[in-house]
Amino acid sequence: MSEENAEELKQLEAEVKLLQAEIIALQQQRQDSWENASFQFRGQMQDALAFVCGRTQDLEETVVSRLKEEVEELEKDLKLQTQINGICLNSCITKTLQSRGQEVVHQVRLSGRSSELVFQVEFQLSELKDGSRTERRIRDLNLVLDSSDLLSLSSFLSRVEETRDLLLFFRTIRSYSEKCDDRTRTFQHFQEKFPSIVSLPKGMTFGMPSEVMTLNHPELPGCCFFIHWCVDVSTGGAVTPKIQLLSKIPEKALQLFPSQPAGGGAAEAFQSLLRILGPEAAIESIIRAVSLSESDKLSD
């Protein structure tokens, strides 16, 4: 090998060493950048950086584990929200109907329940972007309730569909369901406590339960009292329970308990008891009056 070739070889070797040193420095720089970014970012951003930087080892297992944790947290949040607001959503289906310029229109269908009241809400959601602002409007609102007590809700539902006030709808059906649950618990309580006196003619049907509880003494056929408990909803969303005492008493039966709140003055006396004692105590007073005697085998 000539001296000229030997000198050229030395120069090439020196350049190779310089390149190797530069590569090592760049690798270290990339490593430092990754560690700094990992410190600053979490979650999906950190996963993306790991992928870009080539650190994919065990990434899939880490992502799956993290997703499971996030799903568990979301389930806990959903359960808590359901307990707080009384509304449980079973499904939410969204379909884009049109996307034109700055406006996007979605078809949204929600289904869920509030206690035993099952509902379905369907509407169009229009999103109009104006710079950094987004204006959303609801139109073509349609409400469907699976309830046997739609008469007291029909005017309210029509009003909500007209005003497109979803917040009022959810707030009102929650209050309505709570009042119906109070009625159900009270009726069931007295049916269990006074089985020989109390009966529920229509039973507890799917959806909303019976509005009527019957009181009769087994030794007085044809003599009945009826507790009629309805829940009215105004067009503005005000929920009001109305409890009335109705009677069906033969003349001969009236002679057996002239001093009891029965007969012609029973309804008025019951309303007075409601104002003073509240529903449960007032109803129990009527039940004990119908029993005629403390010797009846009624549960304490």
Side-chain angles (χ1 to χ4, degrees):
M1 181 181 294
S2 64
E3 293 182 0
E4 182 179 353
N5 291 336
E7 186 64 27
E8 185 177 354
L9 181 59
K10 289 180 180 180
Q11 290 178 355
L12 290 174
E13 290 176 348
E15 290 179 4
V16 169
K17 290 180 180 180
L18 288 174
L19 288 173
Q20 289 175 340
E22 186 175 351
I23 290 172
I24 293 173
L26 289 173
Q27 288 176 339
Q28 183 62 42
Q29 184 179 356
R30 188 185 70 172
Q31 178 69 20
D32 293 341
S33 298
W34 156 251
E35 291 177 354
N36 181 60
S38 297
F39 181 77
Q40 295 293 333
F41 297 103
R42 293 293 183 269
Q44 295 181 350
M45 180 62 74
Q46 190 177 29
D47 296 338
L49 288 171
F51 181 79
V52 170
C53 295
R55 297 180 57 172
T56 58
Q57 185 177 5
D58 298 330
L59 178 60
E60 182 177 353
E61 294 181 3
T62 303
V63 171
V64 171
S65 176
R66 185 174 299 150
L67 286 174
K68 288 182 179 179
E69 292 177 0
E70 291 179 359
V71 169
E72 291 175 357
E73 288 297 323
L74 289 172
E75 288 177 345
K76 290 180 182 178
D77 291 342
L78 180 59
K79 184 178 180 180
L80 179 60
Q81 289 295 325
T82 300
Q83 293 174 346
I84 293 174
N85 58 38
I87 303 293
C88 178
L89 294 178
N90 298 326
S91 69
C92 177
I93 301 174
T94 303
K95 179 182 178 182
T96 302
L97 297 181
Q98 70 177 41
S99 179
R100 182 177 55 191
Q102 301 297 317
E103 184 180 17
V104 179
V105 179
H106 304 284
Q107 184 77 23
V108 182
R109 179 180 297 173
L110 301 172
S111 64
R113 60 181 177 83
S114 178
S115 185
E116 298 299 324
L117 181 62
V118 179
F119 62 85
Q120 181 173 297
V121 180
E122 187 172 352
F123 57 91
Q124 289 185 9
L125 178 63
S126 174
E127 296 182 345
L128 182 61
K129 293 185 178 180
D130 183 10
S132 59
R133 295 175 60 253
T134 300
E135 182 180 356
R136 294 179 175 87
R137 291 184 179 180
I138 293 176
R139 61 194 187 194
D140 297 337
L141 177 61
N142 183 38
L143 304 172
V144 178
L145 294 182
D146 185 7
S147 170
S148 60
D149 192 20
L150 289 177
L151 183 60
S152 61
L153 291 164
S154 58
S155 298
F156 166 71
L157 294 178
S158 298
R159 179 62 177 170
V160 171
E161 289 179 341
E162 179 183 346
T163 60
R164 301 184 296 276
D165 192 343
L166 280 177
L167 181 60
L168 176 63
F169 170 73
F170 287 117
R171 184 170 63 239
T172 301
I173 64 169
R174 174 191 175 183
S175 179
Y176 177 80
S177 297
E178 288 176 348
K179 300 299 183 185
C180 290
D181 287 345
D182 290 342
R183 177 181 63 191
T184 299
R185 283 191 296 267
T186 303
F187 281 6
Q188 289 179 338
H189 166 72
F190 286 124
Q191 187 182 39
E192 294 171 0
K193 189 173 183 179
F194 304 107
S196 63
I197 302 296
V198 176
S199 61
L200 302 175
K202 295 182 181 180
M204 295 297 176
T205 58
F206 179 78
M208 293 296 106
S210 171
E211 293 183 350
V212 179
M213 182 171 69
T214 301
L215 315 177
N216 53 40
H217 194 285
E219 297 179 3
L220 295 175
C223 179
C224 298
F225 284 94
F226 305 95
I227 301 294
H228 182 251
W229 187 333
C230 65
V231 182
D232 287 343
V233 181
S234 70
T235 55
V239 181
T240 308
K242 293 184 178 180
I243 309 175
Q244 294 179 309
L245 177 65
L246 308 175
S247 59
K248 180 183 177 183
I249 304 175
E251 285 294 330
K252 292 183 179 180
L254 287 174
Q255 299 174 5
L256 298 177
F257 43 93
S259 63
Q260 299 293 335
E268 293 79 4
F270 179 68
Q271 293 301 318
S272 297
L273 289 174
L274 278 176
R275 290 190 293 270
I276 297 171
L277 303 177
E280 288 196 12
I283 293 174
E284 183 161 348
S285 297
I286 296 298
I287 293 174
R288 292 191 177 277
V290 173
S291 73
L292 295 179
S293 171
E294 295 181 359
S295 63
D296 272 315
K297 297 180 180 179
L298 301 178
S299 303
D300 294 331

